[in-house]
Amino acid sequence: MKEIKVEHLARVEGHGAITVEVDGRKVKDVKFEVLEGPRLFETITLGKTPAENLSVVPRICAICTLSHRYASLRGLEKCLDIKIPEKTHWMRELMLAGEAIESHSLHVYLLALPDLLGYPNAVAMVTKYADSVVQGLTLKKFGNSIMELCSARATHGENPIIGGFGKFPTNEKLYAIADQAKTLIPYAEGVIDILGNMQYPTFFEKETVFACCNPPDNQYGLVSDEIILSDGKKFSCEDYTKITNERVVPHSFAKRSLYKNSPFSVGSLARVNNLGDRLQERAGDAYEKYKNARWKKNPVYNNLAQAIELLYALEQVPVYVEKLVELKDPPIVKPKRQSGKGTGAVEAPRGTLYHSYEVKDGRMAKVDIITPTAQNYEDIEKYLRLAAEYMVSEGRKDDDVRFQLEVIARAYDPCISCSAHLVKLVRK
Amino acid sequence: MNPEDRKTKQLPKVGIYGLTSCAGDQLTIVNCEDQILDIFGSAEISSFLMAKSDNTEGEIDVAIVEGSVSSKGDLEMLEDIRKRSKVLIALGNCACNGGPQAACVAAEDHKERMKQVYGDVKWSLPDPIDAKPLSAYVKVDMQITGCPIDKWEFLRALGRLVKGDGPIPISYPVCVECKYNENECLLFKNEMCLGPITLAGCNSVCINHNIPCFGCRGAVIEANVAGEAEMLVNMKHPQFPDRKNFDYQDVKNRAMMYGGNTMAELLDKAKVKGAKK
Amino acid sequence: MRILKLKKKDLKKFLESISSFGELWAPVKKGNRWAFQPTAPDNIDLDAGRTILPLKKFMVPQKFTMFKYNKEGYTPELSNIPSRIVFGAHPCDIAGLNILDKLFTENFPDPYYIERRKKTAIIGLSCLPDEFCFCNETGTDTVEEGFDLFLSETGTDFYLVWIGSSLGDDLMRMAENLFSEDIAFEDIQKFTNWKKERAKKFKVNIDLTGMPSIFELSLNSKIWDKIGERCLACGSCSMVCPTCNCYDVKDTVELRECKGERNRCWDSCTLHEYSLVAGGHNFRANRSDRLRLWYTHKLESFIGAYGKPSCVGCGRCLVTCPVDINAYTLAKTLREEEVFFK
Amino acid sequence: MIDNSCIAGDRSNPFLPEMMRIVRRFDLTSDVRFFQVRPTEASRALTLYYKPGTFMMVSNPGVGEAPLSISSTPSRPGLIEFCVRNVGHVTNSLFRMKENDEIGIRGPYGNGFPIETLKGRDLIIVMGGLGAAPLRSLLLYALDNRDDFGEIYLLHGAKNPHEMLFRKEFYDMMERDDLHCMLSVDKDDTGKWPAKVGLVTSLFKEIKHIDPKTTHAAICGPPVMYRFVLQELLKLKIPKHQILMNLERRMKCGVGKCGHCVVREVYTCLDGPVFSYWDVLNMKELIY
Ligand SMILES: Cc1cc2nc3c(=O)[nH]c(=O)nc-3n(C[C@H](O)[C@H](O)[C@H](O)COP(=O)(O)OP(=O)(O)OC[C@H]3O[C@@H](n4cnc5c(N)ncnc54)[C@H](O)[C@@H]3O)c2cc1C
Ligand code: SF4
Ligand code: SF4
Ligand code: SF4
């Protein structure tokens, strides 16, 4: 018996490892492990104020910081019975678009492209693919600048607060963002073409179930109180446990989810699969151009889905800005009550993120956070197993197996640190 | 400075590592879009798991380590890094102060919290341990704190490091930058601002946006935590009779959220009136 | 000094006609306070109270580059200092500038200060005290110099305008027709009446006579320990003080090349590292020692050297220190031998 | 006032350093290194002038600036000498520099020793540790103008032989008959120390040929040294205003602007670094 091990999964956030136990030409076991220490976020804020909770939970993950913040705000504002004004709403949409641009461009250009083109990292790509690297960096920087504008800094900004924003950006700055977004659209279209025309391996393909938020009014989008599954079922986000019911496995500090006892996927590919028909404008065109049945069974297409969403987000920025510049800066809305329950769901770049809370007398009484990577875990392991079994039976070299498994794991863009913080409902 | 010297000399070897954290500090490095090529050009980045795959783990000049020690695995990795590096730098709040995961240190037993979260599980992974900053286990030569770090502070420090000089540590509180930015003090607007005891370097970004400082950069040197707590909990300001006082527990919660172990100790020493033991 | 009349309704026109000199900066509301900001003549708040930061931010900015350097050596950064008109400077603030003038233009004149001072036109404006002002006690409720123009309220529909410098005269001449010289007897009366009314409005009673001996006598007083315990060493007091001028110097270096900047930024004697020297000895390790330096410098030393305190009575430390340590409470505590800080 | 050509740097911008070249450097002790520098244009070197006891601001571009006492004497123009102890960023970076490297220099600053007043007087120079740096300047100056001074005593103490700055130079001076050169070490762990073993204060009993009324003392050393040396000098009945001490404070500018060296209304950089014991007594915070 021998082990093929990817000890430190590189170019992902946090620490992950893949272990494949092989017996001759048979795969005995495949484990996707989270090596990072547990951070126990859900116990950190118990007994503290909602403001404290809001500040600390985005620290679960640096890349999805604003998704966490948004989900947390939605959860907390339900608890405290706060209805936010329109301008606040559009600012939050804008910040989420910024995060999508940042995260997707980082992943597509700097993490996935080197894999697909056969380079160890993006800097090494510079000699032959300088354009791509520069475009990736430009887009990423643009995403960051939106996040900075909305949340006060690129990572863990504190500007979005319960009931509003500490400070709204000036219209001048908003217009500048909108203008720049328009100029970057060709970049996104370019990378969609690269990814859309690429050949992807087929040997691990298998259908799966996809879940994502179901934005109202038949729109594409990243925020909703309703969850839609590829089997057509819909749930209120308050019933998230019906989809995610988590379990803990001994080899990982991350918790995992099963829907109807089988693994499912969330993320760009899930959204584009479930809601792609709703995409408009150029993102809609790109979707139509590359739409393909294998999207339902091959996770590596996630990168293409991300690129399409990148284009979608770029197109949304001027739309949000148009709305924002018309509206006056509203004051911060004060809580109507100090006790209550509520769950917020948003689509983080990697998939559906739930923050479920109970507040009692102005202090956090229950905190439950379900991250996308936790939901994807079982599916990642499933595809890793399929791929490993095939490659081992074919007698491929260890290095080959290792590389291909890494590519699959990375395609999911697992935010391993975030899954590690994932914790179950604490019932006292 | 001797230009010839630099040409003949090999670039310093730098390794960037992450223990348990949100990876925000490493991400901040990746976020230096305009400087990333300079970073890779000014030093030999021998290891940076988050940004590249061809990593080598030999002797290095400067190790930059993010994250707190939260498992035996973290500890082994840290000890190994320390052994092969000349200078070790703690990067970010987790590495310097333990980070949010250390916020409950004094509150509850770690095993108990693990159970609360995960239920009864026998772990096949390296044992999880209570989150601590790097300095609890190894010698740390310099700290660059923040949650996340400030990109400019990091670049300034790296600029000096690759030329062989130590970074100039910041030694003043957030209030100084808050006044540079000509903000109205939030303490007079009944906000619980930790600016006076928090290490500056963020350009008082929160207060610039009317948000009180949560102390995400940890305690400033010589932080008068007792004085701050006393002010927030008990002090009346004769010039501003409307200024409101806060509950001690809330002040403590906020101070410990990012101040972790360091703040816990300082608070224990401070004997604030109205503090329930 | 030449004194002219300017109709209040002509002020805006005047400011517009001098705009070619430089960008107009004036007090603008910021939350419940004010700050000097670039602004259009329309948006000026003529009743503005003290700004958060005093005029020193124009002459010694919070942070600025002194030199750029490369392999060849240092090049001073003096060329891109902007020309500005600062409107609405109160007398105490101008008095503060006069004190900084002494420091920065005597003995090794500081070219950075001088250049900025030259390029900043100061147009003063009289004001009414609020409950924290005590410039009457420090003798800075009126100023005779340090401004280019000074506009004084008269309680009627015009300002009296003092021309304080040749630059002031130039500015006035850019819209000469707005000014008139015929000042009638009743105008003078109205002006003096207004001044009397103003004098009655001061509320802070702070007695600064004999401060040097009081400080000398209380050098080892326990009061300092009490104050030290209370001070948060946040530095705010000296940042907002019009006459605090301490600074720190830091070099930066670029990643790949041998070039960078030497920068100067405000420092404060209340901060831990202020008197720390290499090797670890700290001449003022305790907050009480540092605060004693602060206040001896404000209320004693300058009196020793120049016959008046370097405190100009603007009241900024009164509204800024979160724990109520300020020139007023300090002077009172030391004088009355009572522990003001319980 | 000294004219522009005499100072390193620029009168119109007192903060502007002038680039100078390191001509020679060698170790005085394990952590103190000796540097000789001169302006990049060699001819300019002869125009520079300074007084013993003054200091210069030394810059390493990109690292920072630090005040350093001048160890050389104006009576031997051409080279400026410094002794640098490796304690922090700037000093550490100086230790990495080699001959022909360039550093920025401006100055001289400070009042220096009142050499005009000292003319015709007896001198007692007491140095310990790095205190040798500024006092060597005075000593060499006095020796070069030997006829201007009366008796000259040099008392130099160190912890042990290899921690004594300029030990060879001073050891050679013991041969001179126009100087009472007394060297002592607290402890001799080499076993080969040719001079005294004992505290520097033990040397005072050998001071004989002076008239306290016309004697000036100059002391510089670690803080602990001052108290005991002052006692000895007072025992010798030297008037307090004739006891001169070289003091140190944190400094960022050297020209009375940055504020760090202020004690009451006194700027250590402008009004010092040389103070009399009488000044010190009147200004309780000057030494601790
Ligand atoms: C008048 C005077 C003469 C001096 N002469 C000598 C000498 O001949 N040889 C020598 O080795 N040292 C001398 N020193 C001390 C020397 O200036 C400090 O050791 C040096 O500034 C340390 O700088 P650094 O950057 O290496 O240390 P860091 O600890 O990195 O200091 C940072 C900065 O703090 C300030 N600073 C720190 N320590 C001191 C200090 N002791 N005095 C003044 N500023 C300080 C400086 O601006 C310095 O750049 C003298 C100091 C003064 C005031
Ligand atoms: S708002 Fe906070 S950081 Fe700013 S001065 Fe007040 S206490 Fe300090
Ligand atoms: S103001 Fe405080 S909470 Fe905000 S970034 Fe700075 S240190 Fe962190
Ligand atoms: S403002 Fe008050 S608390 Fe802050 S440093 Fe000054 S005296 Fe101390």
Side-chain angles (χ1 to χ4, degrees):
Chain A
M1 184 122 91
K2 71 167 185 179
E3 269 188 3
I4 303 175
K5 219 169 148 101
V6 179
E7 286 230 37
H8 292 284
L9 197 50
R11 279 182 288 129
V12 298
E13 213 193 332
H15 300 287
I18 302 166
T19 315
V20 181
E21 273 178 37
V22 183
D23 198 354
R25 286 213 165 185
K26 270 224 171 78
V27 171
K28 296 269 299 208
D29 199 8
V30 174
K31 272 192 227 150
F32 182 36
E33 297 171 79
V34 164
L35 299 172
E36 193 151 284
R39 295 174 74 200
L40 311 181
F41 264 79
E42 283 138 319
T43 59
I44 289 176
T45 57
L46 290 177
K48 300 186 180 168
T49 61
E52 245 80 48
N53 182 78
L54 179 67
S55 169
V56 84
V57 289
R59 264 81 178 183
I60 288 175
C61 165
I63 295 193
C64 318
T65 170
L66 285 180
S67 297
H68 277 286
R69 215 169 169 92
Y70 201 170
S72 181
L73 281 166
R74 286 180 75 86
L76 291 171
E77 283 168 356
K78 279 185 190 166
C79 295
L80 304 174
D81 191 16
I82 289 174
K83 300 272 170 306
I84 51 158
E86 204 188 337
K87 182 154 188 174
T88 303
H89 170 76
W90 293 119
M91 268 285 280
R92 288 183 183 168
E93 294 289 316
L94 177 63
M95 75 182 195
L96 210 57
E99 184 179 89
I101 295 170
E102 198 278 338
S103 175
H104 284 343
S105 57
L106 171 71
H107 190 241
V108 169
Y109 286 90
L110 306 180
L111 307 182
L113 268 192
D115 271 348
L116 300 170
L117 300 172
Y119 287 91
N121 61 58
V123 177
M125 260 164 61
V126 165
T127 36
K128 254 185 101 180
Y129 292 92
D131 278 0
S132 293
V133 175
V134 170
Q135 289 181 5
L137 288 173
T138 311
L139 280 165
K140 192 168 120 31
K141 188 175 168 193
F142 176 62
N144 272 330
S145 69
I146 299 180
M147 290 166 77
E148 220 171 304
L149 188 73
C150 301
S151 80
R153 57 181 173 189
T155 311
H156 303 333
E158 299 278 357
N159 195 29
I161 52 174
I162 299 171
F165 280 84
K167 195 175 184 177
F168 284 89
T170 59
N171 284 358
E172 268 172 351
K173 288 190 178 154
L174 286 168
Y175 280 128
I177 290 280
D179 290 345
Q180 204 190 343
K182 289 176 203 151
T183 66
L184 296 175
I185 284 175
Y187 291 2
E189 288 180 325
V191 82
I192 289 173
D193 287 336
I194 297 181
L195 292 171
N197 294 322
M198 202 160 285
Q199 296 302 313
Y200 298 99
T202 55
F203 54 81
F204 47 84
E205 282 183 356
K206 184 170 185 168
E207 292 246 354
T208 192
V209 179
F210 294 104
C212 68
C213 280
N214 184 22
D217 308 326
N218 214 26
Q219 294 285 313
Y220 198 87
L222 301 174
V223 183
S224 169
D225 282 341
E226 190 178 69
I227 308 301
I228 184 166
L229 287 121
S230 51
D231 64 4
K233 286 239 165 45
K234 289 175 188 168
F235 293 89
S236 156
C237 72
E238 303 290 340
D239 297 329
Y240 67 97
T241 47
K242 289 195 184 135
I243 312 169
T244 65
N245 53 70
E246 295 184 290
R247 68 186 180 93
V248 177
V249 291
H251 62 258
S252 169
F253 290 128
K255 306 213 288 189
R256 325 177 140 206
S257 302
L258 290 172
Y259 169 68
K260 291 190 182 159
N261 260 330
S262 63
F264 65 97
S265 277
V266 293
S268 286
L269 193 55
R271 292 189 290 265
V272 172
N273 264 320
N274 285 2
L275 314 172
D277 294 338
R278 306 180 185 179
L279 283 166
Q280 304 277 327
E281 311 273 331
R282 295 178 184 209
D285 299 344
Y287 170 76
E288 288 303 330
K289 186 167 165 196
Y290 292 108
K291 188 165 70 172
N292 149 0
R294 284 173 60 201
W295 286 13
K296 297 216 182 306
K297 27 188 191 178
N298 190 336
V300 180
Y301 277 105
N302 195 38
N303 297 328
L304 177 58
Q306 286 172 320
I308 294 174
E309 278 198 328
L310 177 63
L311 177 57
Y312 161 78
L314 284 173
E315 286 185 310
Q316 285 307 102
V317 170
V319 178
Y320 299 144
V321 166
E322 276 317 313
K323 301 196 157 126
L324 284 167
V325 292
E326 295 299 319
L327 297 163
K328 277 242 285 283
D329 297 356
I332 288 159
V333 185
K334 293 269 168 284
K336 287 218 190 79
R337 60 183 190 211
Q338 290 300 324
S339 302
K341 284 185 188 176
T343 301
V346 304
E347 286 294 318
R350 283 152 202 79
T352 322
L353 169 64
Y354 302 94
H355 278 229
S356 181
Y357 299 119
E358 186 177 342
V359 178
K360 271 195 189 132
D361 303 322
R363 299 291 181 280
M364 302 309 294
K366 244 184 232 168
V367 180
D368 188 22
I369 298 166
I370 314 282
T371 57
T373 303
Q375 298 168 62
N376 280 333
Y377 237 105
E378 292 283 348
D379 237 14
I380 299 179
E381 231 175 58
K382 175 182 86 185
Y383 283 112
L384 288 176
R385 181 173 298 113
L386 284 168
E389 277 167 0
Y390 175 84
M391 289 188 287
V392 168
S393 72
E394 274 213 325
R396 289 218 199 153
K397 283 211 208 77
D398 282 6
D399 274 351
D400 226 22
V401 177
R402 208 173 277 132
F403 174 75
Q404 193 56 53
L405 294 183
E406 273 190 72
V407 171
I408 294 174
R410 267 204 295 269
Y412 266 95
D413 195 4
C415 196
I416 291 169
S417 60
C418 92
S419 49
H421 321 140
L422 187 94
V423 183
K424 159 171 97 180
L425 211 69
V426 182
R427 296 186 205 284
K428 281 197 176 163
Chain B
M1 172 148 345
N2 184 352
E4 275 82 72
D5 213 29
R6 309 247 324 122
K7 259 181 251 144
T8 49
K9 229 165 78 187
Q10 274 199 334
L11 291 181
K13 281 203 177 102
V14 175
I16 302 171
Y17 305 92
L19 308 178
T20 297
S21 68
C22 74
D25 306 305
Q26 295 183 71
L27 183 70
T28 306
I29 302 177
V30 179
N31 277 351
C32 299
E33 291 95 355
D34 292 335
Q35 296 88 3
I36 193 88
L37 295 179
D38 280 340
I39 294 176
F40 275 81
S42 66
E44 183 189 331
I45 308 289
S46 55
S47 177
F48 189 3
L49 217 49
M50 188 174 175
K52 62 197 268 279
S53 307
D54 52 342
N55 298 307
T56 54
E57 306 301 345
E59 301 273 308
I60 49 176
D61 296 297
V62 181
I64 300 177
V65 184
E66 181 197 30
S68 65
V69 178
S70 304
S71 72
K72 291 260 165 67
D74 281 347
L75 184 55
E76 279 162 25
M77 182 167 157
L78 176 65
E79 283 170 342
D80 172 54
I81 294 169
R82 177 69 271 191
K83 256 187 242 141
R84 51 199 177 77
S85 56
K86 291 200 191 108
V87 174
L88 187 141
I89 296 179
L91 188 75
N93 188 304
C94 293
C96 299
N97 300 307
Q101 56 272 29
C104 291
V105 273
E108 288 152 73
D109 180 56
H110 183 84
K111 288 227 169 67
E112 209 28 60
R113 291 201 294 143
M114 283 291 287
K115 223 171 168 177
Q116 265 185 24
V117 173
Y118 293 98
D120 253 328
V121 184
K122 269 224 158 30
W123 300 100
S124 68
L125 288 166
D127 273 351
I129 47 180
D130 219 346
K132 290 228 174 85
L134 309 187
S135 58
Y137 298 103
V138 297
K139 176 168 165 274
V140 171
D141 299 297
M142 286 156 214
Q143 302 201 336
I144 300 173
T145 183
C147 184
I149 53 162
D150 177 75
K151 145 178 173 179
W152 298 108
E153 185 187 359
F154 171 77
L155 289 170
R156 276 198 305 272
L158 189 69
R160 292 178 67 105
L161 277 166
V162 296
K163 300 204 156 76
D165 300 306
I168 306 176
I170 297 173
S171 59
Y172 47 83
V174 172
C175 295
V176 168
E177 290 177 337
C178 182
K179 294 278 90 65
Y180 280 6
N181 291 310
E182 204 162 3
N183 292 321
E184 186 185 4
C185 177
L186 295 177
L187 289 171
F188 295 107
K189 292 172 97 179
N190 282 331
E191 294 280 2
M192 193 202 291
C193 185
L194 297 187
I197 53 171
T198 303
L199 183 67
C202 58
N203 193 26
S204 68
V205 55
C206 298
I207 305 106
N208 301 353
H209 288 79
N210 303 315
I211 315 265
C213 171
F214 282 79
C216 81
R217 294 177 52 87
V220 64
I221 184 168
E222 202 211 21
N224 186 356
V225 176
E228 168 90 7
E230 186 68 36
M231 166 188 70
L232 291 170
V233 177
N234 295 315
M235 201 177 287
K236 286 278 166 252
H237 198 302
Q239 331 283 358
F240 294 89
D242 298 339
R243 198 167 81 175
K244 144 183 146 192
N245 289 128
F246 297 92
D247 184 58
Y248 176 76
Q249 193 56 41
D250 286 346
V251 174
K252 184 173 174 181
N253 284 346
R254 182 162 292 186
M256 279 184 58
M257 204 152 66
Y258 301 103
N261 306 43
T262 325
M263 204 53 97
E265 276 166 32
L266 288 169
L267 272 169
D268 279 346
K269 267 191 245 150
K271 290 190 182 59
V272 181
K273 264 184 279 158
K276 289 161 256 163
K277 277 285 151 183
Chain C
M1 205 179 297
R2 201 160 163 218
I3 304 174
L4 302 171
K5 259 164 92 170
L6 172 70
K7 291 234 171 60
K8 284 185 178 166
K9 67 172 175 42
D10 288 338
L11 175 64
K12 192 182 145 206
K13 229 186 275 169
F14 172 61
L15 292 175
E16 276 161 5
S17 49
I18 58 173
S19 66
S20 61
F21 178 83
E23 193 179 20
L24 176 67
W25 286 60
V28 171
K29 193 106 193 183
K30 191 165 186 184
N32 300 319
R33 307 264 167 105
W34 289 267
F36 281 109
Q37 305 262 285
T39 179
D42 280 337
N43 301 333
I44 296 176
D45 184 351
L46 292 171
D47 299 320
R50 72 179 67 70
T51 49
I52 300 171
L53 291 181
L55 293 177
K56 70 175 174 186
K57 78 169 184 183
F58 294 103
M59 313 305 164
V60 259
Q62 293 87 321
K63 278 184 197 158
F64 69 90
T65 302
M66 301 172 78
F67 303 108
K68 290 225 158 46
Y69 69 82
N70 58 21
K71 271 177 261 163
E72 270 73 58
Y74 294 87
T75 328
E77 278 274 289
L78 275 161
S79 50
N80 34 19
I81 292 171
S83 291
R84 285 174 177 159
I85 299 167
V86 176
F87 175 84
H90 293 172
C92 58
D93 270 2
I94 297 172
L97 270 192
N98 290 337
I99 288 174
L100 293 186
D101 281 351
K102 277 203 170 48
L103 191 105
F104 284 111
T105 61
E106 291 172 3
N107 266 327
F108 300 102
D110 175 354
Y112 301 95
Y113 182 90
I114 292 171
E115 188 66 14
R116 287 193 169 81
R117 187 81 163 101
K118 255 198 292 199
K119 290 197 158 170
T120 313
I122 302 279
I123 304 182
L125 180 67
S126 64
C127 50
L128 290 176
D130 69 5
E131 69 231 84
F132 306 114
C133 293
F134 56 99
C135 52
N136 56 336
E137 306 281 3
T138 51
T140 50
D141 50 342
T142 51
V143 278
E144 252 94 73
E145 53 177 359
F147 51 81
D148 298 295
L149 294 172
F150 191 93
L151 276 55
S152 179
E153 179 61 68
T154 52
T156 54
D157 62 349
F158 64 88
Y159 295 111
L160 286 178
V161 182
W162 276 254
I163 315 259
S165 71
S166 129
L167 171 63
D169 195 61
D170 293 348
L171 293 175
M172 183 272 289
R173 281 173 204 283
M174 290 164 97
E176 207 165 2
N177 57 331
L178 301 177
F179 294 83
S180 86
E181 218 156 353
D182 57 90
I183 296 170
F185 177 65
E186 67 255 43
D187 293 344
I188 301 172
Q189 247 180 351
K190 278 175 194 151
F191 170 63
T192 42
N193 280 342
W194 179 84
K195 284 199 77 166
K196 268 189 221 145
E197 284 308 307
R198 176 180 190 245
K200 283 192 212 146
K201 290 203 154 72
F202 286 96
K203 300 214 177 69
V204 182
N205 281 312
I206 171 172
D207 181 1
L208 296 174
T209 46
M211 266 299 153
S213 350
I214 291 175
F215 268 96
E216 193 67 46
L217 288 168
S218 34
L219 208 58
N220 296 319
S221 163
K222 286 263 180 307
I223 288 172
W224 293 112
D225 297 336
K226 286 243 156 50
I227 296 171
E229 213 173 277
R230 194 174 166 113
C231 170
L232 305 176
C234 72
S236 298
C237 47
S238 59
M239 297 292 138
V240 302
C241 177
T243 62
C244 269
N245 59 276
C246 289
Y247 66 77
D248 198 359
V249 178
K250 285 180 189 136
D251 279 21
T252 61
V253 59
E254 277 184 18
L255 271 172
R256 268 205 266 197
E257 280 163 282
C258 161
K259 62 180 191 190
E261 291 169 356
R262 172 160 292 171
N263 297 315
R264 200 156 128 177
C265 60
W266 291 358
D267 198 353
S268 162
C269 62
T270 63
L271 303 174
H272 174 78
E273 263 192 14
Y274 186 73
S275 299
L276 179 73
V277 295
H281 182 66
N282 195 333
F283 286 92
R284 294 187 179 91
N286 300 320
R287 287 189 293 274
S288 52
D289 295 333
R290 305 200 295 268
L291 271 194
R292 187 166 56 213
L293 173 73
W294 204 133
Y295 282 104
T296 40
H297 198 233
K298 292 294 129 176
L299 301 177
E300 180 208 357
S301 308
F302 215 73
I303 303 187
Y306 296 99
K308 50 182 182 185
S310 72
C311 168
V312 293
C314 70
R316 283 195 177 82
C317 53
L318 276 72
V319 301
T320 302
C321 175
V323 294
D324 198 32
I325 302 171
N326 51 54
Y328 167 70
T329 50
L330 216 118
K332 197 168 156 86
T333 305
L334 290 181
R335 182 177 299 280
E336 298 186 354
E337 285 296 320
E338 105 194 5
V339 182
F340 192 87
F341 305 109
K342 276 150 274 164
Chain D
M1 182 122 280
I2 314 164
D3 84 48
N4 207 358
S5 63
C6 298
I7 63 157
D10 185 343
R11 264 259 165 252
S12 69
N13 188 338
F15 307 105
L16 180 63
E18 172 176 338
M19 296 315 280
M20 295 209 187
R21 183 156 288 152
I22 297 174
V23 180
R24 211 155 76 94
R25 42 148 216 170
F26 56 83
D27 284 341
L28 290 172
T29 70
S30 59
D31 65 346
V32 180
R33 192 170 284 183
F34 182 73
F35 288 87
Q36 285 182 323
V37 304
R38 66 164 171 72
T40 33
E41 290 167 57
S43 59
R44 187 162 149 49
L46 294 175
T47 65
L48 293 176
Y49 182 77
Y50 52 88
K51 268 162 83 177
T54 53
F55 65 94
M56 293 196 158
M57 295 298 290
V58 177
S59 292
N60 191 359
V63 187
E65 206 171 26
L68 293 176
S69 307
I70 307 174
S71 281
S72 49
T73 163
S75 48
R76 300 176 197 174
L79 293 173
I80 301 174
E81 296 167 352
F82 301 105
C83 314
V84 185
R85 168 168 286 156
N86 184 352
V87 281
H89 295 301
V90 178
T91 45
N92 186 281
S93 77
L94 289 174
F95 267 61
R96 292 200 309 269
M97 305 197 79
K98 293 196 279 302
E99 269 115 41
N100 275 327
D101 286 353
E102 283 182 14
I103 53 176
I105 304 255
R106 59 189 178 93
Y109 300 122
N111 56 356
F113 289 104
I115 38 180
E116 294 309 315
T117 324
L118 297 183
K119 275 211 175 121
R121 304 297 179 105
D122 295 335
L123 282 184
I124 302 176
I125 297 175
V126 191
M127 50 175 85
L130 205 55
L135 291 183
R136 174 176 176 263
S137 176
L138 178 66
L139 176 72
L140 296 184
Y141 179 84
L143 292 176
D144 286 350
N145 298 282
R146 190 63 194 88
D147 295 345
D148 288 347
F149 296 89
E151 296 290 327
I152 304 178
Y153 285 87
L154 166 64
L155 285 64
H156 187 177
K159 279 212 194 83
N160 54 53
H162 43 258
E163 276 181 41
M164 178 170 282
L165 269 60
F166 303 107
R167 60 181 171 278
K168 227 180 111 359
E169 185 175 325
F170 290 158
Y171 190 69
D172 291 345
M173 285 186 196
M174 287 174 81
E175 304 294 308
R176 289 179 77 131
D177 48 16
D178 58 351
L179 169 73
H180 306 275
C181 179
M182 302 186 260
L183 311 178
S184 77
V185 293
D186 299 354
K187 227 173 45 207
D188 173 24
D189 42 17
T190 60
K192 291 189 204 134
W193 179 243
K196 277 246 156 39
V197 177
L199 294 176
V200 73
T201 41
S202 67
L203 301 172
F204 276 84
K205 55 181 180 292
E206 289 172 39
I207 299 180
K208 294 196 180 92
H209 312 282
I210 57 147
D211 172 4
K213 277 204 238 43
T214 60
T215 300
H216 276 71
I219 49 180
C220 188
V224 281
M225 199 188 88
Y226 285 97
R227 186 140 49 101
F228 299 104
V229 169
L230 284 168
Q231 275 171 12
E232 295 295 331
L233 290 169
L234 292 177
K235 265 192 237 158
L236 287 174
K237 300 235 162 20
I238 311 225
K240 296 190 189 73
H241 64 273
Q242 284 170 210
I243 301 176
L244 304 172
M245 349 194 354
N246 214 313
L247 299 183
E248 186 180 300
R249 283 281 161 159
R250 187 182 177 92
M251 269 175 209
K252 287 288 174 183
C253 72
V255 292
K257 306 281 179 259
C258 80
H260 285 89
C261 71
V262 170
V263 181
R264 304 287 194 94
E265 70 262 30
V266 164
Y267 282 84
T268 313
C269 63
L270 296 176
D271 308 315
V274 179
F275 291 97
S276 76
Y277 184 40
W278 178 241
D279 295 332
V280 170
L281 283 178
N282 275 304
M283 201 95 57
K284 296 196 184 72
E285 290 175 292
L286 261 180
I287 51 171
Y288 270 76

